Structures are given as structure tokens and as C-alpha cells.
Amino acid sequence: MSSAFGPTAASSSTGRDLRFAIVGAGMAGILTAIKLKEAGLSDFTVYEKADRLGGTWWENTYPGLSCDVPSHLYCYSFALNPEWSHTFSPGSEIQAYFERVASDYGVVPFIRFGDEVVSCAFDNGRWRISTASGHRDEVDVVIAATGVLHHPKYPDIKGLDSFGGAVFHSARWDHGVTLDGARVGIIGTGSTAVQIVSAIVERTERLVLFQRTAQWVMPAMNPAYTPEEQAAFRRDRHLMEELRAGVSQLFDGFSGAVVDAESPQMKMIEDACLKNLEDNVTDPGLRERLRPDYRAACKRLIVSADFYRAIQEPNAELVTDAIDSVEPGGVRTADGELHELDVLVLATGFKVDAFVRPMSVVGRDDRNLEQAWARRPEAYLSISVPGFPNFFMLNGPNGPVGNFSLVEVAELQVGYIMQLVDRLRTGECHEISATQAAMDRFEAARVEAAKKTVWATGCRSWYLDDRGIPAAWPWHFGRFRSAMVAPEWEAYELRG
Ligand code: NAP
């Protein structure tokens, strides 16, 4: 197989031999392993702390889990999948897809399962790796593919530990707990909670959704592909490519809208969500409580075909009074009412500023990532941190997040990183990292642009950093694609 990334190291027979560590065997780590192998750079280990690959798709198993990016876009461009069952296929299918692709591309034997990288230290031109089991490795390049939405955020609610029933975070679903006929409370109204509500409401005796903030909900049907459609995809891959290109274009349009809060496209998104609310929630009181008081897409837009139906089921209750405390019998709200429950699900999101942490990363001159990120996480183009040579991140700080295909994002980033690696492979230099000046310039422009996005129009969301500035790629997705085509070499310091 030849590399999709032009003149890679594979074409050089005289290059340096490089050893790599990939941290994480989720979607991005598997992708990196495949691309290194394709480029003939087969001296690598993928470190995965779990016992299975798949990352977020392995960790999250909650009922209703699916991806609200259409499946034909949420997959690798080089491994299109005619078998997708639905426009938005379920999480278990996505997990099976990544396992199958990893196996088909022969990268599973490269994964060291059940061993967490605890530290990476740059020493004498190489990275020394230590794992939780005490294993040691020494590599030339570290590629961190550790994910973003990874560390569960538990709410700080008085008495939470005293709850007498089962309580767990959505990303740590306890399948031993029965929901059938149970009184289930769900805290949170993000993408996760909405999927759970729609999936379980009919099984529960009573479902209570604790909403702190109402959400904008974009309607989207989720039809199954017919056997005939799947057969056509199998026969002709162009059909999948066309479909993918069409969906990608739609998402490009969305990226153009959200980065310009005043754009007509943004207005269209808001109108579609508003119409969804007006047309599908019949009770005027409930409708008002579900009506957001901030701009659509300021928080990550919810995409759902059936949330409004689910929350209107006779056994469902939307509670908008603030949570006061949790007691052994249930959740007490500020109005004094006790909502009696058997199960409490915390769909309260993730700590999003950890990135590669808690792994300790010590760069040049004994400076560690905690010091470099003392203010907040930053990386040039979300990939490289000044002073941390040959350490590259996928889906690192301030990259494209939101309603995009992170697979597409990771593929573009890997293509870019492979060009950095080429410089090392050909021996042109031994150490490569972004310059501080490039980092500062990029960050200043990014922050200015971020202020004009819809994410900055006044709402609480995980997109915002400690200053309230969106920690995300604030330009059109097309600009990200262009930036990833080739590195601007003056932004990098090449040593040795
Ligand atoms: P989230 O969007 O961060 O939502 C967390 C929810 O918990 C919010 O509604 C928040 O309320 C609420 N909450 C947090 N602490 C609370 C407290 N102390 N009291 C009451 N409510 C509290 O988390 P998420 O739903 O897990 O989604 C995270 C991200 O994962 C998504 O934005 C998306 O990027 C990704 N995701 C994607 C898909 C997909 O289909 N592609 C599916 C699921 C998740 P406030 O709104 O008031 O803060």
C-alpha cells in the first residue's frame, strides 16, 4: 500500500530508522498506526490502558449511544463501510467497525493493552516512556492520541454519596442495574443525556430528567439502510464516496455558520430548531421550559429525531427546578420536592482540559507540560507544543470540535504529522517542534476569531476556557483543511 500523504519517509531507503510510541488505541491511535505502517515505519507500539481498542466507543456503552455525525462520514476515508445499518449507526456498530479495520490493517499486534503510559521524558534526543506496569521504552517520536471527552466530570452535589440506589456516570454505565420498571433520574441535557432519555423512557416506570439548561434540538431522521442500498454500496464504492462528500459539504456549511454568529446560515439553523420545538412539543408549559434562552449552537447542538417525543411520554417528567441535594431516597430540588428514584445517571459531561494528562510529559530543559500549560492548554495548530520536540498530538487543544467528524479531523492531522516525521526520517533534523513565536501568533489570532463565533454569544458550555473564550478552531473547516495540507516550516524549530 502506498501512503496517501505524498513523498513520505517510506520512499526514502536511506533515511533514519525511527521508533514511535502512539498513546491511545482509539479512533485516532488506530489511524496513526495504520498510516505509520503504510509508510513503512513499522517500529512502533500503541499503548492502550484499556483491555480493548476503540477509545470512547469502547468506554461508552450507555443505552442509545450513537454518533450524531452520519456514519458514512464518521469512518476512515480509506476504509469506507457499505454495511452501516443507519444514517447514524449505533455505538456498538462503530466499535465493531474500528476493531475490524484495526484487524484488517494488521495493527492489533502492535497494541500493548492494559498498560497506561504514565510518563514521557525527553532525554538526549529521545523520549523515555514509562508505563503503569513498570514497562520502559525509548522512542524517537511520541504521537498522543488520547482523546478529548475522556475523563468523566462528576457533579458537586450535596449528598450525592448518600444515594441509596444505583448511581453512575454515563461513561461508566453499570449494565448490572435494571432499568425495567425502575424510577430513573438523569442529570444533564447534553448530547449524551438526550440519547439516553430517548432510548430508555419506555422501559422505566418513571423517568425524571433534571435540566439545568434547555437545549436547542436539531431534528434529524435516522433511517435504516435497506439491504438493496447496502448491496449497491458494496458493488460501487463511488456511491459511498458521493454520499460522504455530500455530508461533508453539509458539515462544511455548518462550520461556516457557527464561526459567524450573524450569518444567515446560523439563522436557518436556529429557525429549524425553533420549528422543531414549536411543531413537536404540544403542551405550552413544557414547550416554554424546553425553550433555550441563548443562541442555537452556542452549546454543542443536539441532534435528535426523538427527544421531544420521549420527554412527552406519560411516564417522563422534566424537572427544571435547581437540584438542591441528593438523599438516600432520591433528588431534592430547590422547591423542596423529593423526586424518589431507584437509579441516578450522571450525564454531566467530561473534564475537557486534561488532554494527554494525567500522563507526565517532560520536554526539553526539564520543563513539563503542567508548566507549559500553567495558564491553559495550548498547542500550535493543536498539534505541537514549543519545547516538546517530536511530540505530536491528535485532537489536541483548541482543535476543531463541535458537530464535526473527528475522524476527518484526525486524518488531516495525521497527514500533517507525517510530513513533520519525514524531516526526522530523512535526517534533515533530529528534533522538531513549533516555535514559541508561531505558537503565540497562532493563539492570538485564534482567540480574536473565537470571540466572533456563536460559541461566544453567552451560554455555559464545555467549549469555553477559564476566560470564557471558546477553546476551539474558530475558523471555517476549509481553513483547517488548508492548514493541514503542508506545514509552514518557518513555524517550526528544526534542530540537529
Ligand atoms: P455535556 O454536553 O457537557 O453536558 C453535560 C450536562 O450536564 C449539561 O446539561 C449540564 O448542564 C449538566 N450538568 C453538569 N453538571 C451539573 C450539575 N452539577 N447540576 C445539574 N446539571 C449539571 O456532556 P455530554 O452530554 O456527555 O456531551 C459531551 C460531548 O460529548 C458532547 O458535546 C459531544 O461533543 C460528545 N457527544 C457526542 C455524541 C454524538 O452523538 N456524536 C453523543 C454524546 C456525546 P448545563 O448545560 O447547564 O451546563
Side-chain angles (χ1 to χ4, degrees), residues 66 68 149 189-192 195 212-213 299-300 347 349 460 462:
S66 75
D68 61 14
L149 301 160
T189 50
S191 306
T192 300
Q195 291 182 345
R212 188 165 68 180
T213 310
K299 291 159 102 67
R300 186 185 191 274
R460 173 176 44 216
W462 67 261

Side-chain angles (χ1 to χ4, degrees), residues 136-210:
R136 301 267 184 279
D137 196 352
E138 204 176 300
V139 303
D140 301 287
V141 180
V142 177
I143 299 180
T146 48
V148 186
L149 301 160
H150 179 41
H151 302 286
K153 193 170 86 191
Y154 289 86
D156 184 15
I157 299 174
K158 194 169 56 184
L160 189 55
D161 290 343
S162 72
F163 184 59
V167 55
F168 47 83
H169 189 275
S170 57
R172 299 286 181 271
W173 196 271
D174 185 344
H175 290 276
V177 172
T178 180
L179 304 174
D180 299 312
R183 298 165 302 174
V184 181
I186 300 174
I187 300 181
T189 50
S191 306
T192 300
V194 162
Q195 291 182 345
I196 295 170
V197 169
S198 306
I200 71 169
V201 65
E202 275 149 24
R203 292 170 56 187
T204 62
E205 180 194 308
R206 183 163 187 70
L207 184 144
V208 185
L209 179 63
F210 296 94

Side-chain angles (χ1 to χ4, degrees), residues 124-140:
N124 215 9
R126 298 197 92 197
W127 286 95
R128 292 183 195 279
I129 311 279
S130 308
T131 71
S133 73
H135 173 78
R136 301 267 184 279
D137 196 352
E138 204 176 300
V139 303
D140 301 287

Side-chain angles (χ1 to χ4, degrees), residues 126-453:
R126 298 197 92 197
W127 286 95
R128 292 183 195 279
I129 311 279
S130 308
T131 71
S133 73
H135 173 78
R136 301 267 184 279
D137 196 352
E138 204 176 300
V139 303
D140 301 287
V141 180
V142 177
I143 299 180
T146 48
V148 186
L149 301 160
H150 179 41
H151 302 286
K153 193 170 86 191
Y154 289 86
D156 184 15
I157 299 174
K158 194 169 56 184
L160 189 55
D161 290 343
S162 72
F163 184 59
V167 55
F168 47 83
H169 189 275
S170 57
R172 299 286 181 271
W173 196 271
D174 185 344
H175 290 276
V177 172
T178 180
L179 304 174
D180 299 312
R183 298 165 302 174
V184 181
I186 300 174
I187 300 181
T189 50
S191 306
T192 300
V194 162
Q195 291 182 345
I196 295 170
V197 169
S198 306
I200 71 169
V201 65
E202 275 149 24
R203 292 170 56 187
T204 62
E205 180 194 308
R206 183 163 187 70
L207 184 144
V208 185
L209 179 63
F210 296 94
Q211 170 184 287
R212 188 165 68 180
T213 310
Q215 288 278 9
W216 289 102
V217 181
M218 178 64 110
M221 292 302 114
N222 188 19
Y225 287 110
T226 62
E228 293 72 30
E229 284 171 319
Q230 290 171 327
F233 287 144
R234 249 174 257 131
R235 271 195 312 273
D236 184 359
R237 107 176 231 117
H238 294 303
L239 293 176
M240 287 186 286
E241 282 167 352
E242 267 170 34
L243 180 58
R244 185 181 169 92
V247 177
S248 178
Q249 213 172 2
L250 271 178
F251 276 71
D252 276 15
F254 180 79
S255 79
V258 291
V259 298
D260 178 1
E262 305 314 322
S263 61
Q265 293 89 338
M266 200 57 254
K267 178 88 176 70
M268 281 164 63
I269 290 170
E270 195 151 314
D271 288 349
C273 295
L274 204 53
K275 184 166 174 359
N276 188 26
L277 177 69
E278 301 292 348
D279 290 355
N280 294 305
V281 181
T282 46
D283 176 69
L286 180 64
R287 198 188 305 138
E288 287 323 300
R289 293 192 300 135
L290 287 167
R291 191 187 299 279
D293 60 0
Y294 56 90
R295 302 280 309 272
C298 181
K299 291 159 102 67
R300 186 185 191 274
L301 200 61
I302 305 294
V303 181
S304 177
D306 46 15
F307 171 65
Y308 286 150
R309 173 201 54 76
I311 199 64
Q312 293 176 91
E313 290 291 334
N315 63 329
E317 186 187 355
L318 180 77
V319 172
T320 50
D321 288 295
I323 294 173
D324 173 68
S325 56
V326 176
E327 301 178 8
V331 172
R332 195 172 291 280
T333 40
D335 58 350
E337 190 177 342
L338 176 68
H339 303 269
E340 291 186 65
L341 300 169
D342 306 305
V343 181
L344 183 57
V345 178
L346 310 173
T348 44
F350 299 87
K351 291 180 220 152
V352 294
D353 62 353
F355 295 99
V356 301
R357 298 175 286 187
M359 182 168 90
S360 150
V361 184
V362 183
R364 206 179 260 152
D365 306 324
D366 276 338
R367 188 159 163 270
N368 65 41
L369 207 52
E370 291 296 338
Q371 292 164 317
W373 286 354
R375 280 186 310 181
R376 63 194 66 85
E378 289 177 349
Y380 174 66
L381 291 176
S382 107
I383 284 176
S384 172
V385 182
F388 293 77
N390 309 349
F391 184 97
F392 308 122
M393 281 175 289
L394 290 165
N395 291 314
N398 308 320
V401 289
N403 300 68
F404 297 122
S405 168
L406 283 189
V407 184
E408 199 177 2
V409 170
E411 280 198 43
L412 291 163
Q413 290 174 327
V414 170
Y416 180 98
I417 290 170
M418 291 295 279
Q419 298 178 61
L420 302 178
V421 164
D422 242 12
R423 294 274 164 132
L424 302 170
R425 175 71 171 85
T426 55
E428 250 170 283
C429 64
H430 282 75
E431 297 179 13
I432 184 162
S433 56
T435 65
Q436 190 62 49
M439 171 80 249
D440 293 345
R441 257 196 322 274
F442 169 72
E443 197 47 20
R446 193 193 67 75
V447 164
E448 273 320 295
K451 291 176 186 164
K452 300 188 190 86
T453 63

